[in-house]
Amino acid sequence: QVQLEESGGGSVQSGGSLRLSCATSGYTQTYCMGWFRQAPGKEREEVAHIDSDGSTSYADSVKGRFTISRDNAKTTTYLQMNSLEVEDTAMYYCAAAALCGYFDRFGEWGQGTQVTVSS
């Protein structure tokens, strides 16, 4: 069974940086890994995902500021967040799915880590 644990959230001022980590147990080496976020009163949105071949995709709102990566063993997925904005404040979740685009239906999810950006 796949388990995911996020870490690295915190409070930072606008313009600052944070790096989120998602440690996985269980077999995820061929999985697509994604980062999602949900702000109070808003729907959950996909921030970025990285497939097992290393291909990546980003939401328009974070392109050029966030970078998703995974280690060579593919047991940890990272989200480097630079030039953070107040609008990036949200609970961030890591997810794993056999196929990208199927996180909602078949994904495994972590408990989330809070990111708060102040002006």
Side-chain angles (χ1 to χ4, degrees), residues 40-86:
K42 295 187 176 181
E43 293 188 355
R44 186 176 64 198
E45 63 172 343
E46 181 175 320
V47 175
H49 71 246
I50 182 167
D51 209 344
S52 57
D53 64 358
S55 58
T56 59
S57 178
Y58 296 91
D60 287 343
S61 59
V62 306
K63 280 181 182 176
R65 300 188 299 122
F66 290 11
T67 303
I68 189 170
S69 62
R70 60 200 298 182
D71 67 349
N72 289 336
K74 297 181 181 176
T75 58
T76 304
T77 302
Y78 304 97
L79 185 69
Q80 178 66 43
M81 306 186 294
N82 298 329
S83 302
L84 281 161
E85 302 169 353
V86 172

Side-chain angles (χ1 to χ4, degrees), residues 7-21 35 65-68 78-85 88-90 92 113-118:
S7 62
S11 297
V12 64
Q13 287 194 323
S14 180
S17 298
L18 285 173
R19 188 174 84 154
L20 306 184
S21 298
W35 283 98
R65 300 188 299 122
F66 290 11
T67 303
I68 189 170
Y78 304 97
L79 185 69
Q80 178 66 43
M81 306 186 294
N82 298 329
S83 302
L84 281 161
E85 302 169 353
D88 295 318
T89 296
Y92 282 70
T113 184
Q114 177 68 38
V115 171
T116 302
V117 184
S118 59

Side-chain angles (χ1 to χ4, degrees), residues 90-110:
M91 183 71 77
Y92 282 70
Y93 298 91
C94 177
L99 294 173
C100 297
Y102 286 82
F103 292 103
D104 285 336
R105 290 183 64 186
F106 303 113
E108 302 286 345
W109 295 82

